[in-house]
Amino acid sequence: MSVNKVMVIGAGQMGSGIAQVFAQAGFEVKLNDIADESLNKGYARIEKLLSRNVEKERMTEQEKESALKQISTTTKLEDASDCDLVIEAVVENMDVKTKVFKQLDDITPKHAILATNTSSLPITDIAAVTNRPSQVIGMHFMNPVPVMKLVEIIRAIQTSDETYQLIEETTKKLNKNPVEVNDYPGFVSNRVLMPMINEAIYTVYEGVAEPEAVDEVMKLGMNHPMGPLQLADFIGLDTCLYIMEILHEGFGDSKYRPCPLLRKYVSAGWLGKKSGRGFYVYE
Ligand code: CAA
Ligand code: NAD
């Protein structure tokens, strides 16, 4: 089997980036969202980033137009009925994701692979709600998708070798680097990254330093491209809190307890860049 037609579900910051990289690699892509407004925003974001590539002479106007032609938008999940691969990138909520996977299991052809871009939810549990668990896999893109080279490919306990190999090959066609990991809380990426971000928040909570100082230490001292608090704002503080809760619950170890300041910010609706305020204020 080979992958030709792809549906990306959720046209937010991750889904629109995933649709863009598939279209640039020549795949036919259907971008789906429940909300027309999100679809329009997602498509506009893709157009803007492709135009930026033309400005920077990384692609021609013609290449931009042909990438855009590969993408159609739809609010109907039923349009996945002829897709070989579906990548789900909706909100990080188990109930929403399992509902989408159950529907996809009924709609998509028998051969289709169902992938999730979840940051932290157990792929094994998502696979278990379908009648094709061996064809369910984690395809974890990094933010911002068009720039970051990694795709963490997460095998659920049920994922077959055939499914893994096809997703690995497909990732390479996107000019990304696949890394194989197994399904445990936070996988590798967020098990290592999130405790660092959480600890950075503790240093602010305990008055060790101001957010700017914490970020300067990590940028200038450790050569990180963004400080941990700037990165937390970029990812979304709600997503960071959610991932810490999954680590805390999944391992039952107090070393993963989310910082109370992170909880407070999320309760206040200070979710980072997307809400205009997090550790920093955004225009
Ligand atoms: N979308 C698309 N492209 C973007 C972008 C975005 N949101 N932000 C920046 N870029 C592009 C810029 O357009 C720029 O390209 P050109 O100027 O050549 O067109 C290029 O990236 C570099 O940007 P800047 O020069 O403005 O800034 P920078 O050098 O600091 O790079 C960055 C920006 C690539 C985002 C860099 O700061 C970085 O690597 N930050 C860390 C990102 C990271 O750690 N991501 C992983 C998050 S964790 C995750 O994703 C997993 C999870 O489950 C939560
Ligand atoms: P987002 O809030 O920007 O986008 C989510 C989109 O899903 C929204 O447009 C929303 O309208 C849509 N949606 C919600 N329910 C839907 C449904 N039932 N059907 C179709 N569309 C639906 O979120 P995001 O940051 O793009 O995150 C999406 C997923 O990617 C999450 O699972 C998240 O954990 C994961 N992820 C996020 C990051 C990050 O840095 N933000 C990095 C890697 C992975």
Side-chain angles (χ1 to χ4, degrees), residues 151-162:
V151 181
E152 190 178 35
I153 304 183
I154 305 120
R155 298 179 75 127
I157 198 162
Q158 311 97 318
T159 308
S160 69
D161 289 343
E162 291 72 25

Side-chain angles (χ1 to χ4, degrees), residues 9-15 32-35 38 89-92 96-97 100 117-119 140-141 143 235 239:
I9 303 179
Q13 56 175 343
M14 295 305 289
N32 166 277
D33 203 287
I34 35 166
S38 305
V90 307
V91 284
E92 190 76 342
V96 179
K97 288 198 196 280
V100 168
N117 184 53
T118 179
S119 295
H140 187 204
F141 289 82
N143 190 10
I235 291 167
T239 304

Side-chain angles (χ1 to χ4, degrees), residues 14 49 52 56 58 119 140-144 146-148 190 193-194 225-226 231 234-235 239 243:
M14 295 305 289
L49 289 173
R52 172 94 180 153
K56 289 262 172 166
R58 286 190 289 252
S119 295
H140 187 204
F141 289 82
M142 300 293 125
N143 190 10
V147 180
M148 307 302 280
N190 283 321
L193 174 69
M194 279 307 154
M226 281 177 171
L231 183 57
F234 178 61
I235 291 167
T239 304
I243 297 168

Side-chain angles (χ1 to χ4, degrees), residues 234-247:
F234 178 61
I235 291 167
L237 299 186
D238 50 344
T239 304
C240 294
L241 176 58
Y242 201 86
I243 297 168
M244 283 312 297
E245 277 169 344
I246 295 272
L247 291 172

Side-chain angles (χ1 to χ4, degrees), residues 21-117:
V21 296
F22 270 97
Q24 281 180 248
F27 291 89
E28 192 181 325
V29 187
K30 298 180 190 188
L31 181 59
N32 166 277
D33 203 287
I34 35 166
D36 273 322
E37 198 197 335
S38 305
L39 265 185
N40 296 339
K41 263 197 195 162
Y43 191 81
R45 199 176 304 127
I46 297 171
E47 268 184 319
K48 193 174 152 199
L49 289 173
L50 290 175
S51 298
R52 172 94 180 153
N53 283 339
V54 175
E55 263 169 46
K56 289 262 172 166
E57 297 183 354
R58 286 190 289 252
M59 67 169 34
T60 63
E61 184 66 33
Q62 203 182 356
E63 283 167 337
K64 170 191 145 186
E65 289 307 324
S66 53
L68 283 174
K69 269 202 201 113
Q70 296 298 108
I71 306 173
S72 58
T73 56
T74 175
T75 50
K76 293 195 203 98
L77 209 56
E78 292 72 26
D79 288 339
S81 62
D82 61 352
C83 288
D84 309 303
L85 168 65
V86 180
I87 299 146
E88 167 280 309
V90 307
V91 284
E92 190 76 342
N93 176 301
M94 195 60 172
D95 291 340
V96 179
K97 288 198 196 280
T98 49
K99 193 171 163 216
V100 168
F101 270 77
K102 278 183 194 159
Q103 285 174 282
L104 286 173
D105 197 25
D106 290 338
I107 294 168
T108 54
K110 278 205 162 56
H111 71 268
I113 291 178
L114 308 181
T116 172
N117 184 53

